[in-house]
Amino acid sequence: MSVRRTSQREIILQELQKSRQHLTADQLFRVVRKKMPRISLATVYRNLELLSETGLIAKLEVSGRQRRFDSEVVGHDHVTCVQCHRVENVFLEGMKEDCPSHGVVDGYTIKGRRLEFFGLCPRCQKKNKVPKGDATMGCGCGCAKKMLTDEQKMVLQAMADFHGPCVAKDIAAATGLEAKLVTGKIADLKKQGFVDSPVRCKYGITADGRTAIKG
Amino acid sequence: MSVRRTSQREIILQELQKSRQHLTADQLFRVVRKKMPRISLATVYRNLELLSETGLIAKLEVSGRQRRFDSEVVGHDHVTCVQCHRVENVFLEGMKEDCPSHGVVDGYTIKGRRLEFFGLCPRCQKKNKVPKGDATMGCGCGCAKKMLTDEQKMVLQAMADFHGPCVAKDIAAATGLEAKLVTGKIADLKKQGFVDSPVRCKYGITADGRTAIKG
DNA sequence: ACCTAACTGATAACTATTACTAAATCAAGC
DNA sequence: GCTTGATTTAGTAATAGTTATCAGTTAGGT
Ligand SMILES: [Mn+2]
Ligand SMILES: [Mn+2]
Ligand SMILES: [Zn+2]
Ligand SMILES: [Zn+2]
């Protein structure tokens, strides 16, 4: 029998193709769950693996800790924005000879290559030029900015009151919230650009964050 | 005060430079521990991070799940052997223009690039040509082949008796060994090429494996 | 309709890395 | 040389992402 056709597999492939992006398993899970609320994250992983084995999609090893998946399987390269971490396609012409994906390099029989560029995407370049003001509008990089919950506001406020970088437990102490919960909130706020981490383990409120709690 | 000079840091840097390889934190930990048995893995991680921040070494993001570190910091690229996973340097001439590490690509301001080739190293090419026979000699890729322990032999034998791919608990049942221990043994044997995994979760003995238990 | 290998959701386990803590250590200033 | 305090350490817990396991479900060939 080998490979079966299941509704889970179909939706996973369909949604990855529809997105036209380079999604992580987790991101795709969140998308697929809207259509199929009882699907498991393990199923998403299992099928992404299987689909890439059969060549319908491509596993993408880009920098960062999360693997991404690509519905575009013909050979191309990628560029990662160092600020918003968006991954986009790069099609380089006339590079095949100079930067070969097959052939021999230093005695190795080359079967493939991976080329990844790092830089600032046009959106982030533009955003960095905006001196101040409508920071709450977001970075324009597709990361939809949601309303802040009361707890998120509490965390941000505590961070604003705290002068200098602080660790999660400082915020837990200041807000009275559970430390574990605070860690999660900080991660969310960091994704939204309201918090950054100047040093590992230490967090601080950003200009965007200050604007957000003022409004 | 900022950065201090500690014996741990010195040895870590020294051993990475001496190795002239692209070691993982764990590999380096094992090397360093020979000179400083009480050092902690966390210390190795911390110092590799710090040394790469100060520019004395380079963090290397190659494929595979483990990060590697490079004592060679001047710009160069890498080639990974798909069989033995060895990482070696590649210095490509005349590529800087065609395959730029700075400049503009599709509107992005490029700050860097990563180029990684995949292929078979000369050692593995040679090994693959050997038709049969001295498979127990190893792949010659530096992964020293050790003697098999009695438990490892038990696992291999059980796998040989078991026709077709089996899961870890099949082996546990057949050998009477603890399932957890069996999982570990299988992982080891797989690294040594005596076991492979045709399907996820399922394992089978390889030709090399059969030779190993005959001897 | 029946059968069974393939698949699923749920959850545990695993691996690589990072965070935390109390104790130890380095080096600047006396 | 001694004091002092910021850094660093060993040990360990916690985390994130992924993979393994398992009991029950389903696709699809007969
Ligand atoms: Mn792509
Ligand atoms: Mn190198
Ligand atoms: Zn961006
Ligand atoms: Zn090799």
Side-chain angles (χ1 to χ4, degrees), chain A:
Chain A
M1 258 178 237
S2 214
V3 172
R4 283 186 191 167
R5 151 175 294 256
T6 68
S7 52
Q8 287 87 344
R9 187 129 66 224
E10 239 161 43
I11 293 189
I12 287 166
L13 177 58
Q14 195 178 299
E15 291 297 324
L16 180 63
Q17 288 173 339
K18 210 200 297 179
S19 84
R20 308 207 130 275
Q21 290 187 61
H22 302 88
L23 301 180
T24 64
D26 187 66
Q27 289 173 329
L28 189 53
F29 173 56
R30 286 201 288 263
V31 171
V32 166
R33 204 159 40 163
K34 285 176 189 159
K35 303 218 159 180
M36 187 177 269
R38 302 196 54 78
I39 198 172
S40 153
L41 176 59
T43 300
V44 174
Y45 271 106
R46 230 180 295 128
N47 281 293
L48 286 172
E49 181 66 31
L50 203 146
L51 288 167
S52 70
E53 271 167 21
T54 61
L56 279 168
I57 65 173
K59 230 190 270 192
L60 208 63
E61 305 244 17
V62 288
S63 52
R65 25 202 52 60
Q66 280 177 90
R67 182 173 297 158
R68 287 172 184 274
F69 295 87
D70 196 340
S71 62
E72 188 67 55
V73 289
V74 303
H76 61 277
D77 302 299
H78 295 92
V79 55
T80 303
C81 177
V82 294
Q83 188 163 308
C84 67
H85 302 113
R86 172 182 284 251
V87 177
E88 288 197 79
N89 291 335
V90 172
F91 297 92
L92 287 179
E93 299 302 328
M95 266 211 37
K96 299 211 167 52
E97 305 80 37
D98 300 305
C99 188
S101 56
H102 293 273
V104 174
V105 175
D106 288 350
Y108 277 70
T109 315
I110 300 302
K111 305 215 162 145
R113 68 133 193 264
R114 183 176 67 191
L115 176 56
E116 182 185 3
F117 293 100
F118 301 97
L120 276 182
C121 74
R123 287 165 294 272
C124 287
Q125 288 173 50
K126 190 177 282 179
K127 187 228 165 183
N128 292 352
K129 288 219 187 75
V130 175
K132 52 175 60 79
D134 49 9
T136 49
M137 293 297 289
C139 64
C141 299
C143 50
K145 189 136 297 180
K146 297 179 292 277
M147 290 295 293
L148 292 178
T149 65
D150 285 339
E151 283 181 340
Q152 285 180 317
K153 280 184 191 159
M154 279 172 70
V155 169
L156 268 186
Q157 190 59 60
M159 219 174 257
D161 298 338
F162 205 100
H163 291 291
C166 56
V167 300
K169 68 163 185 182
D170 293 330
I171 301 302
T175 58
L177 296 172
E178 204 183 326
K180 201 163 188 173
L181 192 138
V182 169
T183 308
K185 299 282 172 215
I186 289 178
D188 278 353
L189 290 164
K190 199 162 141 236
K191 271 188 194 150
Q192 295 185 54
F194 295 142
V195 164
D196 62 1
S197 177
V199 190
R200 225 199 343 259
C201 304
K202 304 238 175 182
Y203 303 93
I205 187 168
T206 61
D208 281 18
R210 288 182 196 281
T211 318
I213 47 177
K214 265 177 209 146

Side-chain angles (χ1 to χ4, degrees), chain B residues 96-150:
Chain B
K96 298 210 167 53
E97 307 80 36
D98 300 303
C99 186
S101 56
H102 294 273
V104 174
V105 175
D106 288 352
Y108 277 70
T109 316
I110 301 302
K111 305 214 164 146
R113 69 132 193 265
R114 184 177 66 188
L115 176 57
E116 182 185 2
F117 293 99
F118 301 98
L120 276 182
C121 73
R123 287 165 295 273
C124 287
Q125 289 173 49
K126 189 177 284 180
K127 187 231 164 183
N128 292 353
K129 287 218 187 77
V130 176
K132 53 175 60 81
D134 48 11
T136 48
M137 293 298 289
C139 64
C141 300
C143 51
K145 187 136 299 180
K146 296 179 291 276
M147 291 295 293
L148 292 179
T149 66
D150 286 339

